[in-house]
Amino acid sequence: MARKGDASASLYGEPRKFDPKFRGPIHNRHCTDVLCCAIFVVVILGYIALGIVAWVHGDPRKVAYPTDSYGQFCGQKDTPNENKTILFYFNILKCASPIVLINLQCPTTQLCVSKCPDRFATYIDMQSSYRYNKSYWEYYRQFCKPGFNKPWKSVAQVMRDEDCPSMIIPSRPFLKRCFPDFSTKNGVLTVANRTTFIDGRGKTRNVTDLREAANGINNVLDARSIGMKIFEDYASSWYWILIGLFIAMVVSLLFLVLLRFTAGVLFWIFIFGVIGIIGYGIWHCYWEYHRLHGIPGSDLTIYDIGFQTDFRVYLQLRQTWLAFMILLCIVEVVIILMLIFLRNRIRIAIALLKEGSRAIGYIMSTLFYPIVTFILIAICISYWAVTAVFLATSGEPVYKVMANQTLCKYANLTCYPETFNMTNVTKLCPGAQCTFAFYGGESLYHRYIFVFQFSNIFVFLWLVNFAIALGQCALAGAFASYYWAFRKPADIPACPLFASFGRAIRYHTGSLAFGSLILAVVQLIRVILEYLDHKLKGSQNAFAKFLLCCFKCCFWCLEKFLKFINRNAYIMIAIYGKNFCTSAKEAFFLLMRNVVRVAVLDKVTDFLLFLGKILVAGSVGVLAFFFFTRRIPVFTQEAPSLNYYWVPLLTVIIGSYLVAHGFFSVYAMCVDTLFLCFCEDLERNDGSTAKPYYMSASLHRILGKKELSPKKLLG
């Protein structure tokens, strides 16, 4: 009699021909997707070459050091600015915000200095004092252009040529730049305890006039103080944080072990809890419905009162509570019916979860494989970030005309500092300066910097997805070796994880690269869509926004679907050693023939693992809270003195969640692999002596004798 899976062959693929000698992951394999493997190797070599070229042309000092108006680094060794490590702005009033300062886009002369000004002074006052005391000029000249030594030059000419600042303000260095030394005194903004100052034109001004230029600086400086305190907290509590993460690792391991015995109990407690909560909701709705009986106005309909902004109005209507009660009744009935008709599949899902815990117990090395994946991804991220920085800092200094007048036709045009004063730009646009803008060039390399950055992102996505795929395939091969061992654990091969990893690298690099490539392309498209969305935020084109939102939603769904297909394709590759497309097709049709079991197992697994992550992070977090707040009498003296106890607490909670996620990702891969092997086992074998099942005794009992007959094999 034909099997149920074969009857649906027209919908889910042709009947598969099985090898009667199959006994688990195939060892005699051949290389798959060789062309993609070759392309992948060439791309990696090209990526290395790109990094070398970027390293030759780039200069990360352009990021680490501030740059003056002449494109010279402040604090660079063996230069005139070696001892001048701080950037000074001639007229900070021309700067709109700290972001403008940090990005070197402020339209005023920028100079490297050894220290920031510590007093109020103007060029006019300096000239007046210079006649009887030259020390005023000696102090003021350190903030003028190098080589300028004409204190008698008229103020108008000095301001025109930007030889010196018209005024200096008490400042302090932050991010290697001189920011006004703001402080608050009795709620009043002050600079060096003064609320007024004299500008370069001899006019008395209030310190609040600097607010626009210094907007947000106080917050940034406060953030620096907070940052120092956070650093101190980490310095005094880092070993306790490590202890907390170690406890999280132990708790995660214990949870995985206990799932073998408690998976079913936890799931059914949750299910009956949900049924009880919904039942209480039905009773409460009925109680509200009965309470409102006879109250004037409660018998009106929602249609009668129309739309109301105060939704509490609807809660005074009997019809509202009747609708809630009907809706909850429908949900309650649906859940109960699903439990009745899917009870056997839920039992199978729980049994697979227990089997996964048992498999990990026999192959404990798999729990530590996420460390390998983490190292590979960390290498990819580091290489991408370094390459991006070197690419961004490639090129020679480019200078732009910075003009105060918005109507200046020369604004933002390229200029050359050596010849700028000989042009008529300063006459047509008074106050215009030729200042450093960014690093670039006109060579072929510099014209394709954007393309190189684009390629850097794409290859980075490809390599990260490959590292994840390699881990999934290696783990799948190890767990498949467990399932297809007829006598467990006696027939499990030695070092199954290492053997599976070797097979994946030796034979299936091309297939893993192929699946990773498809996913990387979709992710790159999503990055481009996010970039376009960022650019269109100020747009008023509603249709374009709607279309972009639809594309983002579609590609998000596509990425999720591809991750699901790739994950199961890698499992089939680990078992049978076929190419990516064949494995993806067979995995897809196999899952479609067991679609109900897939849905049930997926939801049961997701719930239990989510519960485990919350349990691990929550329990360790509570313990850390009591410890760092000195509420555990035994450890009161050992607890470090902290500025903010939430710093190590949040670190422990987030770190514990990530540790649990790493362990549970192995568990999820184990369950998915065992499920595919279970489906294959049902289609290959019939439980007879000639074709015995490879499943565990617990799964055998759940299927029952009736399910072991060929007629009801897939239930």
Side-chain angles (χ1 to χ4, degrees):
M1 185 175 292
R3 298 190 182 193
K4 188 175 180 179
D6 296 338
S8 60
S10 60
L11 290 176
Y12 305 123
E14 294 298 325
R16 297 170 59 197
K17 296 180 179 179
F18 298 118
D19 180 8
K21 298 181 180 180
F22 178 79
R23 293 294 183 271
I26 297 174
H27 296 278
N28 297 324
R29 302 173 178 238
H30 61 275
C31 295
T32 56
D33 296 305
V34 178
L35 178 61
C36 192
C37 178
I39 295 174
F40 184 62
V41 172
V42 171
V43 168
I44 291 178
L45 295 177
Y47 196 36
I48 295 174
L50 175 63
I52 295 174
V53 172
W55 181 76
V56 171
H57 289 85
D59 190 350
R61 293 176 301 176
K62 298 169 184 176
V63 176
Y65 297 100
T67 310
D68 64 13
S69 296
Y70 308 99
Q72 299 175 342
F73 299 126
C74 296
Q76 183 181 358
K77 292 184 178 181
D78 301 325
T79 67
N81 291 333
E82 181 175 1
N83 297 321
K84 300 177 180 180
T85 59
I86 309 170
L87 192 66
F88 171 75
Y89 296 88
F90 269 30
N91 189 356
I92 198 171
L93 291 172
K94 295 181 180 180
C95 306
S97 69
I99 296 176
V100 172
L101 302 181
I102 295 171
N103 290 333
L104 300 176
Q105 296 298 323
C106 185
T108 187
T109 300
Q110 300 147 28
L111 193 70
C112 295
V113 295
S114 57
K115 63 180 181 178
C116 295
D118 59 5
R119 68 193 72 170
F120 283 105
T122 66
Y123 189 81
I124 296 175
D125 292 339
M126 182 279 302
Q127 278 194 326
S128 301
S129 304
Y130 175 74
R131 299 172 183 173
Y132 57 86
N133 190 344
K134 292 184 172 54
S135 63
Y136 284 94
W137 167 243
E138 294 301 323
Y139 178 81
Y140 203 93
R141 69 179 294 185
Q142 62 183 321
F143 304 108
C144 298
K145 288 182 178 179
F148 179 75
N149 192 18
K150 298 179 180 179
W152 56 84
K153 189 175 180 179
S154 67
V155 176
Q157 291 177 329
V158 170
M159 298 302 103
R160 181 197 64 192
D161 299 334
E162 292 271 355
D163 293 320
C164 289
S166 61
M167 62 178 178
I168 56 177
I169 302 171
S171 306
R172 53 178 170 177
F174 178 60
L175 298 176
K176 298 184 179 180
R177 291 160 176 84
C178 290
F179 287 152
D181 189 9
F182 284 102
S183 61
T184 54
K185 189 175 182 179
N186 297 325
V188 179
L189 185 68
T190 64
V191 174
N193 295 323
R194 290 176 55 177
T195 58
T196 60
F197 67 98
I198 300 176
D199 64 9
R201 301 176 184 270
K203 180 181 177 181
T204 301
R205 303 179 65 170
N206 196 288
V207 168
T208 55
D209 292 338
L210 293 169
R211 188 181 299 276
E212 182 180 358
N215 184 28
I217 290 181
N218 282 331
N219 294 334
V220 175
L221 295 176
D222 291 341
R224 179 183 64 171
S225 176
I226 294 174
M228 291 300 297
K229 292 180 180 178
I230 291 176
F231 178 80
E232 292 173 358
D233 289 343
Y234 276 126
S236 60
S237 62
W238 63 269
Y239 45 91
W240 293 109
I241 293 175
L242 292 180
I243 292 175
L245 297 180
F246 177 78
I247 294 174
M249 183 183 70
V250 174
V251 174
S252 300
L253 291 173
L254 289 176
F255 185 83
L256 291 179
V257 173
L258 292 176
L259 272 181
R260 184 187 306 184
F261 311 102
T262 61
V265 175
L266 290 175
F267 178 77
W268 289 116
I269 288 176
F270 171 77
I271 289 297
F272 288 117
V274 170
I275 292 175
I277 292 172
I278 296 177
Y280 169 78
I282 294 172
W283 175 83
H284 182 77
C285 290
Y286 174 77
W287 182 81
E288 290 285 354
Y289 177 79
H290 187 267
R291 182 183 65 84
L292 292 173
H293 179 68
I295 297 178
S298 63
D299 291 326
L300 293 174
T301 64
I302 297 175
Y303 179 79
D304 292 334
I305 65 173
F307 176 76
Q308 300 292 328
T309 55
D310 187 359
F311 291 98
R312 290 176 296 180
V313 174
Y314 297 108
L315 299 180
Q316 307 303 319
L317 303 179
R318 299 184 74 204
Q319 189 185 62
T320 301
W321 292 105
L322 179 63
F324 285 160
M325 184 172 63
I326 294 174
L327 181 63
L328 290 176
C329 286
I330 293 173
V331 173
E332 186 88 330
V333 171
V334 169
I335 292 177
I336 292 174
L337 290 177
M338 288 179 62
L339 290 177
I340 293 173
F341 290 102
L342 298 178
R343 64 188 184 281
N344 197 52
R345 289 178 172 83
I346 293 175
R347 292 174 63 203
I348 293 175
I350 294 174
L352 282 171
L353 290 172
K354 295 179 179 179
E355 192 69 14
S357 179
R358 189 177 293 110
I360 291 176
Y362 288 128
I363 315 176
M364 289 293 292
S365 58
T366 55
L367 287 174
F368 302 97
Y369 185 85
I371 298 175
V372 177
T373 302
F374 173 79
I375 293 174
L376 292 177
I377 293 178
I379 292 173
C380 293
I381 293 175
S382 302
Y383 189 85
W384 165 78
V386 171
T387 302
V389 169
F390 273 92
L391 285 173
T393 56
S394 298
E396 301 298 326
V398 174
Y399 300 87
K400 296 285 185 180
V401 176
M402 295 292 181
N404 296 328
Q405 299 179 2
T406 56
L407 298 178
C408 178
K409 64 179 182 179
Y410 295 102
N412 293 323
L413 294 181
T414 304
C415 59
Y416 301 94
E418 297 82 4
T419 60
F420 182 74
N421 291 332
M422 293 183 285
T423 65
N424 61 346
V425 176
T426 54
K427 297 178 181 178
L428 297 176
C429 303
Q433 292 291 316
C434 182
T435 60
F436 169 78
F438 57 88
Y439 290 94
E442 300 298 330
S443 67
L444 182 66
Y445 169 78
H446 296 109
R447 286 201 296 267
Y448 285 93
I449 287 292
F450 178 79
V451 177
F452 293 150
Q453 288 283 24
F454 188 82
S455 303
N456 186 29
I457 296 175
F458 174 69
V459 180
F460 163 71
L461 294 174
W462 194 358
L463 291 175
V464 168
N465 285 308
F466 178 82
I468 296 173
L470 178 61
Q472 291 176 343
C473 190
L475 291 172
F479 294 127
S481 299
Y482 164 82
Y483 185 92
W484 295 108
F486 191 75
R487 294 175 300 172
K488 301 175 178 61
D491 291 344
I492 299 177
C495 304
L497 178 61
F498 182 78
S500 178
F501 181 82
R503 290 195 299 268
I505 289 291
R506 181 178 179 182
Y507 298 107
H508 306 303
T509 297
S511 297
L512 301 180
F514 189 19
S516 305
L517 174 63
I518 298 173
L519 195 56
V521 170
V522 175
Q523 290 173 341
L524 184 64
I525 294 174
R526 290 194 63 203
V527 170
I528 295 173
L529 291 175
E530 290 294 339
Y531 174 78
L532 294 176
D533 184 45
H534 176 73
K535 289 295 183 181
L536 289 174
K537 277 187 177 179
S539 174
Q540 302 299 323
N541 192 332
F543 177 75
K545 291 183 177 180
F546 171 76
L547 193 62
L548 188 62
C549 184
C550 292
F551 277 122
K552 289 172 62 178
C553 179
C554 291
F555 277 96
W556 179 85
C557 295
L558 179 59
E559 181 183 354
K560 295 297 181 182
F561 175 75
L562 287 176
K563 285 183 176 180
F564 175 76
I565 291 297
N566 283 11
R567 183 183 181 91
N568 290 281
Y570 299 146
I571 295 174
M572 300 299 279
I573 290 172
I575 298 174
Y576 296 110
K578 298 181 180 179
N579 61 49
F580 176 80
C581 292
T582 302
S583 299
K585 182 186 72 173
E586 292 183 354
F588 178 76
F589 287 137
L590 180 61
L591 293 173
M592 288 300 99
R593 292 193 292 271
N594 298 271
V595 64
V596 178
R597 282 177 176 153
V598 172
V600 172
L601 178 70
D602 186 58
K603 297 308 174 186
V604 172
T605 305
D606 287 346
F607 162 69
L608 289 179
L609 295 187
F610 175 76
L611 184 67
K613 294 174 187 178
I614 297 300
L615 178 65
V616 172
S619 59
V620 177
V622 169
L623 180 63
F625 172 78
F626 284 108
F627 174 78
F628 288 119
T629 55
R630 299 174 181 266
R631 298 187 184 185
I632 303 178
V634 180
F635 296 101
T636 302
Q637 300 298 325
E638 286 76 9
S641 179
L642 302 170
N643 298 297
Y644 309 108
Y645 74 86
W646 52 264
V647 172
L649 178 61
L650 287 180
T651 304
V652 169
I653 293 175
I654 296 174
S656 299
Y657 185 87
L658 294 177
V659 168
H661 177 75
F663 283 109
F664 293 169
S665 64
V666 174
Y667 184 79
M669 194 67 202
C670 177
V671 172
D672 288 346
T673 303
L674 296 181
F675 176 71
L676 275 185
C677 293
F678 171 74
C679 295
E680 282 283 286
D681 196 11
L682 289 177
E683 293 194 354
R684 284 178 172 276
N685 307 304
D686 55 15
S688 63
T689 305
K691 293 182 178 180
Y693 285 131
Y694 283 79
M695 67 186 68
S696 64
S698 59
L699 285 172
H700 221 281
R701 288 192 298 270
I702 291 173
L703 286 176
K705 294 182 179 180
K706 293 182 179 179
E707 290 267 2
L708 293 179
S709 63
K711 182 177 180 179
K712 298 184 178 180
L713 199 55
L714 291 179

